[in-house]
Amino acid sequence: MNSVMVDFTLNGEPRTVTVKPNMTLLEVIRDEFALTGTKEGCGQGECGACTVILDGKAVDSCLILISQVQGRTVTTIEGLGKDGSLDLLQSSFIEAGAVQCGYCTPGMIMSAKSLLLKNSNPSVDEIKRAISGNLCRCTGYTKIIKAVQLAAMNARDGSAGGEK
Amino acid sequence: MLQAFDVIRPRSLADALDAIADGNATLLAGGTDLLVRIKKRLLKPQLVVDLSALSELTEIEDEREQIVIGSLVTHGQIVESTLANRYLPVLVQGCATVGSPQIRNTGTLGGNIANASPAADSLPPLTVLDARVIIQSLAGKRELSLDAFITSPGKTQLRSGELITGIAVQKMQDNERCLYRKLGQRKALAISVASVAVRMAFDPAIRTSSASGIAFGAVVPVIRRVPELERMLSQGPLDLQAIKEISERAGEFCAPISDLRASAEYRRNMCSSLLYEVLYDLTS
């Protein structure tokens, strides 16, 4: 098995990895870059715990081979906050109590982020659709949906609500 | 960790056709199905040819009477495409029900066709649209109708060294209506239990359809149009009684299996119900 060299942008930084070609994007993020916010749940695209944003769109990083991200831009949960402060979505999840065990949270936030990138004022149905590929077994989703609404509202107000 | 294999990533279609010419390569389009099958050890590739650099296969093109969709166009791209929404709304409806947002952003139309699953959500819409599959190899280009291309569950006419490069579909006309409806065990991330796509040229003044297409998904080994039912749609005004009689016969044209998702009997009944709902909505 020959290694592959892949150049891509990870959380705003240009990166080059030389890895085994059978590695998934999820494995590279976690094992090569030690960015362990992105979780593995089912490994089959059913749970969304491994969701990252690839060129502006939410994808399951467990179903993407590393060669497929050549030249592309990946954002993980670690790439959302800036200069030590949380992204509005992260602070809204805390404020709304949308986190229980926390395992689904990074993937849930990345799916919500991909929605807010293209729609600053989503309806409840649009939020439900955007997170329909993310399973949460604790919260019952209500507080997650409220958190996304809160983040959208705070972003529209331009307020720093919840940011530290 | 996935089993060991080598990966090459050709930079052009010509390079890709070269790379797959000897027939030993496994093709990687979006990967949402392929990676699952490798993880489950249903597939043990030696060499994977990653098609992700072939940007020439990622466009949706307006070619006068028809739309040509590159094989690497994702379901998400189709859902957002102005051209597809205008001319192929039934395909948009089908693609919008595939998997989850993440799967739709990665999985491709070409991959969905190549996998030839009887439950694939793009296939009933493509079938009623009489889609043609464009195939290339070093030997040249050929086109096959979708229903000739798929021969049995998971099996197609794709020969070794060949690649699906596009899907050609005639534009729907302004007097045509269409609807795809799917029954799954839940709203997202659910494989179809049964589904139906209907397309018809309908004159609301006389409540009559002059031409139509009907195809069921997840209830037949290979998704095909159902000419017997289509003829019934054109045999008179589509009032409630006619819709009821036509949809009650849906089960005769299905050959469902029983599996962990549903029994054959349930699937047969659901075909009737789905067809009734769709015809009701299309004619109101």
Side-chain angles (χ1 to χ4, degrees):
Chain A
M1 188 167 46
N2 299 309
S3 292
V4 287
M5 189 172 86
V6 181
D7 302 302
F8 65 113
T9 301
L10 179 60
N11 296 335
E13 301 280 330
R15 300 286 193 173
T16 301
V17 284
T18 302
V19 292
K20 296 289 178 200
N22 63 344
M23 285 185 88
T24 62
L25 173 58
L26 173 67
E27 288 167 332
V28 170
I29 289 168
R30 290 182 56 90
D31 301 344
E32 297 294 314
F33 292 101
L35 296 173
T36 54
T38 308
K39 308 301 183 195
E40 176 165 42
C42 67
Q44 299 179 13
E46 302 273 349
C47 77
C50 67
T51 303
V52 299
I53 295 181
L54 178 63
D55 290 344
K57 296 190 185 299
V59 297
D60 293 319
S61 62
C62 75
L63 293 185
I64 292 180
L65 221 47
I66 190 59
S67 57
Q68 291 177 277
V69 304
Q70 169 63 39
R72 302 175 76 181
T73 297
V74 178
T75 307
T76 69
I77 186 75
E78 290 89 349
L80 288 191
K82 283 189 181 65
D83 306 324
S85 65
L86 296 176
D87 183 87
L88 278 177
L89 265 167
Q90 294 170 305
S91 48
S92 301
F93 267 63
I94 297 169
E95 201 176 325
V99 181
Q100 286 187 31
C101 90
Y103 202 82
C104 75
T105 309
M108 201 65 86
I109 288 180
M110 297 317 284
S111 284
K113 186 72 187 178
S114 74
L115 170 68
L116 296 185
L117 284 174
K118 59 180 183 189
N119 182 351
S120 60
N121 188 13
S123 66
V124 169
D125 275 351
E126 286 168 333
I127 295 170
K128 284 183 177 175
R129 181 167 275 265
I131 61 168
S132 63
N134 295 76
L135 285 184
C136 173
R137 300 290 76 164
C138 305
T139 63
Y141 302 100
T142 307
K143 290 182 176 178
I144 292 175
I145 293 163
K146 288 210 167 113
V148 180
Q149 286 178 302
L150 187 63
M153 204 173 69
N154 286 343
R156 286 198 308 278
D157 291 350
S159 98
E163 280 195 62
K164 285 174 196 144
Chain B
M1 168 142 305
L2 298 174
Q3 57 137 111
F5 49 76
D6 280 313
V7 173
I8 51 174
R9 185 171 179 272
R11 302 298 161 92
S12 69
L13 179 57
D15 287 352
L17 295 178
D18 260 337
I20 65 171
D22 66 5
N24 293 324
T26 299
L27 299 179
L28 170 66
T32 52
D33 192 83
L34 185 72
L35 262 62
V36 172
R37 283 197 283 161
I38 297 172
K39 287 181 183 196
K40 289 183 175 171
R41 318 231 159 200
L42 298 172
L43 208 64
K44 292 169 180 150
Q46 298 288 306
L47 175 66
V48 170
V49 173
D50 172 4
L51 303 174
S52 62
L54 305 185
S55 53
E56 58 261 64
L57 304 184
T58 60
E59 304 289 331
I60 302 176
E61 314 241 24
D62 188 339
E63 294 187 355
R64 288 191 297 276
E65 313 290 290
Q66 64 176 10
I67 303 287
V68 177
I69 303 169
S71 54
L72 297 180
V73 168
T74 64
H75 301 289
Q77 250 179 294
I78 291 169
V79 171
E80 289 178 5
S81 153
T82 313
L83 277 177
N85 277 279
R86 163 111 197 257
Y87 294 113
L88 311 169
V90 71
L91 180 61
V92 171
Q93 293 160 11
C95 290
T97 72
V98 171
S100 65
Q102 292 94 318
I103 300 289
R104 292 195 286 277
N105 286 335
T106 317
T108 66
L109 193 63
N112 211 221
I113 292 171
N115 283 335
S117 161
D121 288 309
S122 73
L123 294 181
L126 287 173
T127 302
V128 299
L129 292 168
D130 296 321
R132 283 162 300 118
V133 184
I134 305 165
I135 300 161
Q136 288 192 50
S137 67
L138 285 181
K141 199 175 198 176
R142 65 184 182 121
E143 267 189 42
L144 279 177
S145 72
L146 179 63
D147 60 357
F149 179 73
I150 298 177
T151 53
S152 61
K155 297 269 186 273
T156 70
Q157 295 274 16
L158 199 67
R159 298 178 195 138
S160 110
E162 284 186 329
L163 177 66
I164 300 175
T165 53
I167 296 92
V169 192
Q170 293 292 117
K171 289 178 182 171
M172 287 181 63
Q173 302 300 309
D174 288 340
N175 66 336
E176 289 188 284
R177 304 173 172 203
C178 62
L179 212 49
Y180 175 70
R181 192 154 300 173
K182 156 182 175 174
L183 176 72
Q185 291 182 317
R186 50 187 185 272
K187 283 186 187 164
L189 283 166
I191 295 173
S192 284
V193 164
S195 68
V196 66
V198 178
R199 157 198 199 182
M200 62 162 93
F202 184 71
D203 183 341
I206 49 171
R207 297 189 59 78
T208 303
S209 155
S210 51
S212 61
I214 300 179
F216 294 103
V219 291
V220 278
V222 180
I223 297 169
R224 299 260 155 81
R225 285 176 56 178
V226 189
E228 296 89 342
L229 286 174
E230 292 171 1
R231 273 196 293 276
M232 291 171 74
L233 283 188
S234 303
Q235 278 167 357
L238 286 171
D239 54 23
L240 263 190
Q241 186 58 31
I243 289 172
K244 191 157 174 276
E245 282 172 20
I246 294 166
S247 32
E248 273 170 2
R249 297 196 53 193
E252 294 170 36
F253 307 100
C254 304
I257 56 164
S258 293
D259 64 12
L260 77 170
R261 281 183 286 278
S263 68
E265 189 191 0
Y266 178 74
R267 284 195 158 98
R268 234 181 258 282
N269 286 329
M270 287 307 103
C271 285
S272 289
S273 301
L274 286 170
L275 185 59
Y276 181 85
E277 280 183 21
V278 165
L279 292 177
Y280 182 92
D281 287 350
L282 282 176
T283 54
S284 11

